[in-house]
Amino acid sequence: MLATTDVVLASQDVTVFFACVDEQPVGFMTLNACIALYAGGRFGEISELYIRPDMRSRGIAAHLIAHAVTEGCARDWKRLEVGAPPFRRERGASLSIATTGLRKLARGSA
């Protein structure tokens, strides 16, 4: 697991945001830079978003997602997608995709 973590953190296509409370990590989000024809070019994907169970329902995930939106606007991405690892999908987790209009979302008008 540590070797995989090192590879992910070393990639220039991945940005990892950590959430801390009282200087203690309580969650993280991985944001991948992607490119595809269907997306009209460059876009971002939130591939992982984890908040410690005892820290959920406190707005921490929303705060991390706001950082993803800000990063997407700064990189001029056309869209931001949200993925779920295969083991979560098998247990019934849904896969949702944020549609185009990152700038609207960043302005709070989406």
Side-chain angles (χ1 to χ4, degrees):
M1 179 89 148
L2 288 177
T4 302
T5 302
D6 288 342
V7 170
V8 170
L9 292 175
S11 174
Q12 292 186 6
D13 293 327
V14 178
T15 303
V16 181
F17 293 92
F18 292 95
C20 295
V21 173
D22 296 328
E23 298 184 22
Q24 296 298 312
V26 297
F28 71 94
M29 175 183 67
T30 57
L31 182 62
N32 296 286
C34 306
I35 189 166
L37 293 173
Y38 78 87
R42 298 195 183 281
F43 68 100
E45 179 195 39
I46 297 172
S47 60
E48 298 174 288
L49 177 59
Y50 176 80
I51 306 299
R52 226 174 54 198
D54 63 315
M55 298 302 292
R56 294 178 184 164
S57 299
R58 298 181 186 207
I60 296 168
H63 186 72
L64 288 171
I65 291 169
H67 280 290
V69 170
T70 299
E71 186 74 15
C73 289
R75 295 184 185 199
D76 200 30
W77 288 342
K78 306 298 182 230
R79 64 192 294 136
L80 183 62
E81 295 184 357
V82 181
F87 69 89
R88 294 292 298 166
R89 281 187 254 140
E90 291 167 7
R91 295 187 354 216
S94 64
L95 195 65
S96 61
I97 297 176
T99 59
T100 58
L102 270 181
R103 296 195 190 291
K104 284 184 187 177
L105 187 58
R107 290 191 305 264
S109 59

